[in-house]
Amino acid sequence: MANKEEKPEGKESSWKDLIYNPRTGEFLGRTASSWALIFLFYLVFYGFLAGMFTLTVWVMLQTLDDYTPKYRDRVSSPGLMIRPRYLDVIVNRSDPQQYKKYVQDLEDFLLDYNDTVQEQNVQCPEGQYFLQDDPEEKKVCQFKRSQLRQCSGLADTNFGYSEGQPCVLIKMNRIIGLKPRGQPYINCMAKRETLLEMQYFPTEGHIDKMYFPYYGKKAHTKYVQPLVAVKLQLLEQDYNTTLTIECKVEGSDLRNNDERDKFLGRIAFRVHVTK
């Protein structure tokens, strides 16, 4: 029998050589020195990118102020919001369970306005801005819930809902540095031909200047917005009818007629009261 022809030395190869070739010392087609150079290149390359990113972020942070946003041109006038936080207030005055959610929402919201809490703040002079330059943590002017009188929830814990004359609280959104000119006040009207009687607390829906300016969440940690309570004095003929109420901030340079933003300086909500 003829002997099998032997393969020349060094010509044998298999798929294992693609992973590691013992003759050349290559791993996945590269020698150890080649892998080391590639690793060093990417280490330097990504290290440079990380350094550039870190430097860019650091430079940007040097331009920021912890207490005041760098750009504040998105909103120049505040929007209005109401409490309870429902744009449709449906009340059955003879069913406490039905209007309980409104009463509870008002009570929870007014916790920060309790007289015992507000007495820890400063009693500011009326009619002038409360400007503060030095301290990082700004002082806060008192706004006691007792100022809301019949809508404070103190004498009447149901905020008028049990008698079919519900209270609604109105507040302006916070804008850092805002100092409204004039004498801002809240004015509400029912969208119908006949007038709807309303009571305002404080008197005439006045918003005093002493609650401005606001210095931001970090500096003004205990700040509370001034409130205006509106008590809707509904009569028998006003029941079983959906009333649309629109409230605006008047008497100042604050905008309230921007058709592109229905909440800028105004707010509209609906009230439906039944016996």
Side-chain angles (χ1 to χ4, degrees), residues 105-235:
D105 189 67
L106 289 171
E107 185 62 40
D108 293 343
F109 175 70
L110 288 173
L111 289 177
D112 290 335
Y113 293 85
N114 283 338
D115 289 13
T116 53
V117 176
Q118 288 301 309
E119 284 171 358
Q120 302 173 20
N121 295 329
V122 180
Q123 193 166 3
C124 303
E126 297 182 1
Q128 58 186 354
Y129 302 123
F130 187 35
L131 301 175
Q132 306 175 68
D133 297 326
D134 297 331
E136 290 186 354
E137 185 171 350
K138 308 299 182 180
K139 297 179 181 179
V140 179
C141 293
Q142 292 183 9
F143 190 101
K144 298 180 178 180
R145 68 184 291 179
S146 57
Q147 296 175 234
L148 303 177
R149 296 170 58 192
Q150 297 179 36
C151 290
S152 65
L154 299 175
D156 177 10
T157 57
N158 289 316
F159 297 92
Y161 285 83
S162 60
E163 59 184 14
Q165 296 187 342
C167 290
V168 175
L169 306 182
I170 299 174
K171 67 184 183 73
M172 292 195 301
N173 291 336
R174 304 176 183 185
I175 295 183
I176 296 176
L178 177 68
K179 293 189 288 185
R181 299 176 182 176
Q183 296 294 331
Y185 66 92
I186 298 296
N187 182 47
C188 299
M189 295 184 63
K191 291 187 175 182
R192 64 179 191 181
E193 294 182 359
T194 58
L195 293 176
L196 176 65
E197 290 293 325
M198 305 182 195
Q199 273 187 302
Y200 296 91
F201 310 101
T203 306
E204 298 180 351
H206 177 63
I207 301 175
D208 201 281
K209 288 183 178 179
M210 65 180 172
Y211 300 106
F212 303 96
Y214 169 59
Y215 287 97
K217 187 174 182 180
K218 186 171 183 178
H220 237 154
T221 55
K222 297 181 180 179
Y223 178 83
V224 292
Q225 292 129 295
L227 305 175
V228 172
V230 182
K231 186 176 181 63
L232 307 177
Q233 297 184 308
L234 304 182
L235 304 175

Side-chain angles (χ1 to χ4, degrees), residues 2-8 12:
N3 293 332
K4 293 182 179 179
E5 184 179 353
E6 296 183 357
K7 294 182 179 180
E12 294 183 2

Side-chain angles (χ1 to χ4, degrees), residues 76-78 249 252-258 260 264-266:
S76 57
S77 292
V249 57
S252 70
D253 60 341
L254 301 178
R255 297 169 58 192
N256 62 11
N257 57 358
D258 191 335
R260 295 174 298 177
L264 190 63
R266 59 179 172 170

Side-chain angles (χ1 to χ4, degrees), residues 9-26:
E9 185 179 354
K11 295 296 184 179
E12 294 183 2
S13 63
S14 69
W15 61 270
K16 294 181 181 180
D17 292 338
L18 297 176
I19 299 175
Y20 177 71
N21 191 328
R23 293 183 299 278
T24 60
E26 294 179 344

Side-chain angles (χ1 to χ4, degrees), residues 75-102:
V75 178
S76 57
S77 292
L80 294 186
M81 299 184 68
I82 65 169
R83 292 292 186 276
R85 58 180 76 211
Y86 299 91
L87 294 181
D88 288 285
V89 179
I90 302 173
V91 179
N92 182 345
R93 71 177 193 178
S94 60
D95 183 4
Q97 291 300 318
Q98 191 274 333
Y99 59 75
K100 179 181 179 181
K101 61 180 180 180
Y102 305 125

